[in-house]
């Protein structure tokens, strides 16, 4: 009887000792961290090779631009720029392809993790119930229902393993949830990257078409002749110099705000308006504010004939509207928003009397080239009201009141 009593006390002590050890073991076990899946590198060797070719061509263009201008060098520059744009298109397409594969991989990871998370969650819920049921059994019940000391120790070992497994199961569930969120973030980020690259690809494709058209137009304008090239170059430089001199005399082409005015006649636009003044004239080094007087004047005339969706930016967006070397001079025949027009020589008074505006080129310095263009909207016999695209708020102002001594060197009306 005493032996049985001592054995019972020994079992209780052993149970509580192992129970405490079990509790410590369950609290201190540290599972190995599973690394979060990562996406493929953004830049492949092929893309890096394309980028190096672009750098080499840019260096070539810089060297060519340092040489004396000629038809041959300009064509080489254009060819190099076209090649650069083609390489950028190839690079962008490759990046889109790589990202598409990454998104496919990420989607599969997300689906796999979601499946694992669902399974782990179901298992964990079952284990919570089982653990609760086991936890509700009193130590004395476990002892009394054990057939022997070995059975008692075995059941304690099972309990210890189960608790360690439960802790690992909980850790894996949390880790799967974190991995799921990480992969979702990667997925959304790559989707945004693809959208940006597609927009970039569209812009490069348009740029390529413009560059190819400019090369074709240059060859047509010069008829492939160096002599014609040099003649066109001289004319362009002289005209742009005239615009530059006018702007300098007027105190510079600083930007202005709130210049557009629309009424029954049409719309008044100012080339220096901050909506477009700082934008390059047909992608050249010249700005609309400094050299866009003619383009702005033509845009005003468009609105007089009902095309109020046309403004300087509309005309500037079509490269074929320009000629010259560089192509910064507006052609006599242009297109804006699908509407074609042509400037032709016209008599001022008779044109105004018939209700049609006249685009007038004025020589401020007495030279043969127009230094500035304005739009005559009404008047006769030397007394005219104009829309001046350079003067601040130059809507319906006196021509001679603003320019008392300039000489008119060009008079055009616009035909549609």
């Amino acid at each position: 009887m005493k032996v049985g009593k001592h054995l019972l006390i020994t079992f209780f002590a052993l149970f509580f000792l192992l129970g405490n050890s079990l509790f410590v073991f369950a609290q201190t076990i540290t599972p190995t961290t599973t690394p979060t899946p990562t996406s493929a590198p953004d830049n492949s060797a092929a893309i890096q090779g394309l980028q190096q070719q672009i750098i080499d061509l840019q260096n070539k263009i810089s060297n060519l631009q340092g040489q004396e201008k000629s038809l041959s060098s300009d064509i080489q520059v254009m060819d190099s720029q076209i090649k650069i744009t083609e390489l950028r298109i190839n690079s962008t397409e490759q990046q889109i392809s790589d990202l598409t594969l990454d998104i496919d991989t990420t989607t599969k990871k997300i689906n796999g993790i979601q499946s694992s998370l669902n399974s782990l969650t179901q298992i964990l819920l079952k284990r919570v119930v089982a653990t609760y049921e086991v936890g509700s059994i009193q130590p004395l019940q476990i002892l009394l229902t054990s057939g022997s000391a070995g059975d008692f120790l075995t059941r304690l070992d099972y309990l210890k393993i189960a608790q360690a497994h439960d802790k690992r199961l909980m850790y894996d569930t949390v880790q799967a949830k974190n991995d799921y969120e990480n992969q979702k973030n990667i997925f959304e980020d790559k989707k945004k990257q693809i959208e940006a690259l597609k927009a970039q690809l569209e812009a490069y494709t348009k740029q390529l078409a413009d560059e190819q058209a400019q090369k074709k137009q240059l060859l047509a304008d010069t008829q492939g002749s160096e002599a014609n090239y040099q003649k066109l170059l001289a004319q362009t430089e002289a005209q742009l110099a005239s615009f530059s001199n006018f702007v300098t005399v007027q105190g510079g082409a600083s930007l202005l705000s709130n210049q557009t005015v629309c009424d029954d006649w049409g719309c008044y636009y100012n080339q220096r308006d901050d909506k477009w003044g700082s934008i390059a004239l047909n992608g050249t080094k010249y700005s609309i504010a400094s050299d866009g007087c003619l383009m702005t004047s033509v845009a005003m005339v468009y609105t007089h004939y009902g095309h109020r969706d046309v403004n300087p930016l509309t005309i500037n967006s079509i490269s074929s509207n320009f000629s010259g070397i560089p192509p910064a001079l507006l052609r006599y025949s242009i297109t804006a928003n699908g509407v074609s027009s042509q400037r032709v020589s016209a008599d001022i008074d008779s044109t105004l009397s018939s209700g049609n505006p006249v685009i007038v080129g004025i020589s401020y310095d007495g030279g043969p080239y127009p230094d500035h263009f304005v739009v005559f909207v009404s008047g006769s016999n030397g007394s005219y009201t104009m829309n001046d695209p350079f003067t601040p708020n130059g809507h319906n102002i006196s021509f001679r009141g603003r320019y008392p001594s300039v000489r008119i060197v060009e008079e055009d009306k616009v035909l549609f």
Side-chain angles (χ1 to χ4, degrees):
M1 186 71 176
K2 291 182 179 179
V3 174
K5 182 178 181 180
H6 290 159
L7 181 60
L8 183 62
I9 293 171
T10 301
F11 280 165
F12 270 118
L14 183 60
F15 177 80
F16 287 111
L17 178 63
L18 289 174
N20 289 335
S21 299
L22 172 60
F23 177 78
V24 173
F25 178 82
Q27 291 296 322
T28 58
I29 184 171
T30 305
T32 304
T33 301
T34 303
T36 301
T38 56
S39 57
D42 291 333
N43 295 320
S44 65
I47 293 176
Q48 292 177 1
L50 292 173
Q51 294 300 321
Q52 185 57 53
Q53 291 182 60
I54 290 173
I55 292 172
D56 293 341
L57 285 168
Q58 287 173 333
N59 291 334
K60 179 181 179 180
I61 289 174
S62 296
N63 292 332
L64 288 168
Q65 290 175 336
Q67 300 174 9
E68 184 176 352
K69 289 187 71 65
S70 66
L71 178 60
S72 174
S73 65
D74 257 17
I75 293 299
Q76 289 184 65
V77 168
M78 288 181 169
D79 285 341
S80 297
Q81 189 59 61
I82 288 171
K83 183 61 178 177
I84 286 175
T85 306
E86 289 174 340
L87 290 171
R88 284 174 173 161
I89 288 173
N90 292 340
S91 176
T92 305
E93 288 175 339
Q94 182 63 53
Q95 291 177 69
I96 290 174
S97 176
D98 291 346
L99 281 170
T100 302
L101 291 175
D102 281 348
I103 284 178
D104 183 61
T105 301
T106 303
T107 301
K108 291 177 180 177
K109 287 180 181 178
I110 288 173
N111 292 338
I113 293 171
Q114 179 68 65
S115 177
S116 298
L117 185 57
N118 291 339
S119 298
L120 285 169
T121 301
Q122 292 174 8
I123 293 171
L124 185 59
L125 288 173
K126 292 179 181 178
R127 290 299 305 149
V128 167
V129 173
T131 302
Y132 175 79
E133 291 174 348
V134 171
S136 66
I137 301 174
Q138 297 299 319
L140 181 60
Q141 291 178 280
I142 298 176
L143 178 62
L144 294 177
T145 55
S146 299
S148 64
D151 182 32
F152 173 67
L153 293 176
T154 299
R155 294 178 69 179
L156 286 178
D157 284 339
Y158 285 157
L159 182 60
K160 179 171 66 174
I161 292 170
Q163 288 190 348
H165 178 267
D166 288 350
K167 183 173 178 62
R168 179 68 190 190
L169 186 61
M170 291 175 65
Y171 177 86
D172 287 346
T173 303
V174 172
Q175 187 67 19
K177 183 177 182 299
N178 291 338
D179 287 348
Y180 178 79
E181 294 299 329
N182 289 339
Q183 291 301 320
K184 285 285 287 183
N185 290 337
I186 290 172
F187 176 78
E188 293 300 327
D189 181 62
K190 290 187 183 298
K191 277 181 62 179
K192 291 177 182 177
Q193 289 182 49
I194 278 192
E195 291 304 315
L197 285 169
K198 285 182 177 178
Q200 191 176 66
L201 179 61
E202 184 177 349
Y204 283 149
T205 302
K206 181 181 182 302
Q207 180 180 334
L208 178 62
D210 289 344
E211 289 167 350
Q212 290 171 334
Q214 287 178 10
K215 176 186 174 182
K216 182 179 179 180
Q217 192 62 61
L218 176 62
L219 290 171
D221 289 343
T222 61
Q223 297 180 346
S225 164
E226 183 64 34
N228 291 339
Y229 174 90
Q230 293 299 331
K231 181 180 179 181
L232 182 57
L233 174 63
Q235 290 174 345
T236 305
E237 290 177 341
Q239 179 61 82
L240 293 173
S242 295
F243 288 153
S244 178
N245 291 338
F246 172 82
V247 169
T248 300
V249 170
Q250 297 299 314
S254 57
L255 297 184
L256 306 169
S257 300
N258 302 318
Q259 293 295 301
T260 300
V261 178
C262 295
D263 53 24
D264 292 340
W265 181 89
C267 292
Y268 165 77
Y269 296 133
N270 195 296
Q271 69 196 76
R272 298 160 61 188
D273 196 305
D274 56 14
K275 294 178 182 177
W276 46 68
S278 62
I279 294 175
L281 192 60
N282 190 37
T284 64
K285 65 179 182 179
Y286 303 94
S287 71
I288 294 177
S290 62
D291 296 86
C293 57
L294 176 57
M295 182 177 70
T296 306
S297 294
V298 172
M300 285 191 273
V301 173
Y302 261 80
T303 67
H304 173 72
Y305 292 105
H307 307 293
R308 297 202 177 199
D309 55 344
V310 173
N311 60 41
L313 289 179
T314 312
I315 298 174
N316 194 56
S317 66
I318 303 177
S319 295
S320 59
N321 286 337
F322 299 86
S323 65
I325 302 171
L329 304 181
L330 193 68
R331 294 180 183 277
Y332 282 88
S333 296
I334 69 163
T335 299
N337 280 354
V339 179
S340 299
S341 67
Q342 184 178 15
R343 282 184 294 128
V344 297
S345 180
D347 176 74
I348 295 176
D349 285 7
S350 61
T351 302
L352 290 176
S353 66
S354 63
N356 297 302
V358 181
I359 296 176
V360 173
I362 60 175
S363 175
Y364 204 82
D365 58 7
Y369 292 99
D371 303 309
H372 184 48
F373 283 90
V374 301
V375 180
F376 283 0
V377 297
S378 63
S380 63
N381 299 320
S383 178
Y384 304 109
T385 297
M386 69 172 179
N387 283 344
D388 183 356
F390 185 86
T391 300
N393 301 307
H395 176 229
N396 284 342
I397 63 175
S398 169
F399 172 60
R400 285 302 175 188
R402 180 69 178 86
Y403 304 114
S405 59
V406 298
R407 184 166 62 91
I408 295 175
V409 294
E410 186 172 338
E411 307 163 4
D412 298 325
K413 66 179 179 180
V414 179
L415 302 178
F416 291 89

